Amino acid sequence: MTGTLLDIDGLEVTFPGRGLRCRPHQVLHGVSLDVAAGETLGLVGESGSGKTTIGRAVLGLVKPSGGRITFADVDITHAAGARRRALARDIQVVFQDPYSSLNPSLTIGDILGEPLVVQGVGRKEANARITALLDQVGLPVNSAARLPREFSGGQRQRVAIARALAPRPKLVVCDEPVSALDLSTQRRVLELLVDIQRDTQVAYLFISHDLSVIRHISHRVAVLYRGDLVETGEAAKVTATPDHPYTRRLLLAAPVADPAEQQRRREERWRFAERDADRSAA
Ligand SMILES: Nc1ncnc2c1ncn2[C@@H]1O[C@H](COP(=O)(O)OP(=O)(O)O)[C@@H](O)[C@H]1O
Ligand SMILES: [Mg+2]
């Protein structure tokens, strides 16, 4: 790992209120985090905490109302138009839903070829790169001629990963990339992401609500609670002996293999719930 690749400093995002009398809604309250080249930063928090909004701000899909986003020492907070399109080479994304994220009428070969053609890669070179990408994500070479509907959810997510890797990005924003998959498929896709990182030094901003997934893949972990980071640190530390009560609570909600441990956590979770009920009654 070498220096900082992505640096987010005091990021604020406010959405306009829906309807006439609805007040604007601040979703991120000054979030600061960074991702080093070749590193995986896991971003974890419950649904609605603002994880996707952070990813979308990095991708230029939502406008920050405050703060700064720097990529490879360049301020990209408000990059738009040609500058933003140029960034797509370096910053790619994999979304949660492998069913809606692939154009159903394009073959896998066309889906993977598109970003290469945009880059001006010639047909012959593109075909060679598509074959290599399929191999890299563990799909058969003859997949190129087939359509997304011929593939399972896990295979489609491999296609989405291959498409993200096609322009040889430095950073991939992975927004809940395994959350729609069953547990054994999840594990294989996570292992694939780790292998790819080892071979290419790509960095991941890896977003998930699931601390057990985050623990598996991350070097460092940042914990988001209602638009504020409450804890950032080494993955082993944050996911085993967290400092913040909210992180401890996420930890208790994460699935574990051991039934006795499962039972212990269930009881502890109930104690949290009771304490919260006491607090809101008070
Ligand atoms: N385009 C939008 N317009 C208005 N509110 C939004 C928009 N996108 C997200 N939100 C709100 O911002 C909050 C955070 O959403 P999100 O970033 O998707 O959270 P997460 O990914 O952690 O589940 C939620 O309350 C959500 O309703
Ligand atoms: Mg989300």
Side-chain angles (χ1 to χ4, degrees), residues 44-45 176 179 183 186 208-215 253-255:
V44 68
E176 308 265 6
S179 301
L183 281 181
Q186 280 193 2
S208 177
H209 68 281
D210 185 340
L211 199 65
S212 60
V213 167
I214 287 284
R215 174 197 296 140

Side-chain angles (χ1 to χ4, degrees), residues 46-53 96 175-176 207:
E46 68 198 327
S47 172
S49 56
K51 305 180 298 296
T52 293
T53 303
Q96 172 171 355
D175 190 352
E176 308 265 6
I207 296 171

Side-chain angles (χ1 to χ4, degrees), residues 51-91:
K51 305 180 298 296
T52 293
T53 303
I54 294 176
R56 287 172 60 83
V58 170
L59 295 161
L61 301 172
V62 301
K63 278 190 195 307
S65 46
R68 210 159 64 113
I69 303 175
T70 310
F71 183 79
D73 295 325
V74 177
D75 186 338
I76 62 161
T77 318
H78 300 288
R83 274 188 68 212
R84 180 51 70 178
R85 281 193 297 280
L87 273 174
R89 241 186 133 111
D90 286 333
I91 308 180

Side-chain angles (χ1 to χ4, degrees), residues 81-249:
R83 274 188 68 212
R84 180 51 70 178
R85 281 193 297 280
L87 273 174
R89 241 186 133 111
D90 286 333
I91 308 180
Q92 280 286 318
V93 61
V94 176
F95 293 109
Q96 172 171 355
D97 184 1
Y99 292 91
S100 63
S101 66
L102 303 177
N103 184 333
S105 59
L106 294 182
T107 64
I108 304 305
D110 287 336
I111 289 169
L112 299 183
E114 215 172 24
L116 299 175
V117 171
V118 170
Q119 267 186 51
V121 175
R123 192 70 239 173
K124 209 167 151 224
E125 160 80 5
N127 283 339
R129 295 257 297 263
I130 290 167
T131 304
L133 283 165
L134 289 171
D135 184 55
Q136 195 175 13
V137 300
L139 289 172
V141 174
N142 68 12
S143 306
R146 291 155 67 189
L147 291 165
R149 67 161 177 267
E150 299 174 56
F151 293 87
S152 68
Q155 289 170 322
R156 287 181 199 215
Q157 214 51 330
R158 287 172 191 267
V159 175
I161 292 166
R163 179 181 55 186
L165 294 174
R168 297 180 176 151
K170 296 192 176 77
L171 174 72
V172 180
V173 176
C174 301
D175 190 352
E176 308 265 6
V178 300
S179 301
L181 308 175
D182 64 73
L183 281 181
S184 64
T185 310
Q186 280 193 2
R187 198 169 57 235
R188 285 197 296 275
V189 171
L190 292 176
E191 274 159 15
L192 172 67
L193 288 170
V194 170
D195 288 347
I196 287 167
Q197 185 173 60
R198 197 190 43 228
D199 296 342
T200 65
Q201 300 306 307
V202 68
Y204 300 129
L205 175 58
F206 191 100
I207 296 171
S208 177
H209 68 281
D210 185 340
L211 199 65
S212 60
V213 167
I214 287 284
R215 174 197 296 140
H216 195 89
I217 188 132
S218 310
H219 296 110
R220 286 185 307 129
V221 172
V223 183
L224 190 67
Y225 178 64
R226 296 188 181 175
D228 282 299
L229 284 188
V230 295
E231 183 162 5
T232 305
E234 293 301 317
K237 163 76 177 76
V238 174
T239 64
T241 53
D243 288 330
H244 199 277
Y246 175 67
T247 318
R248 285 206 282 278
R249 193 150 138 183

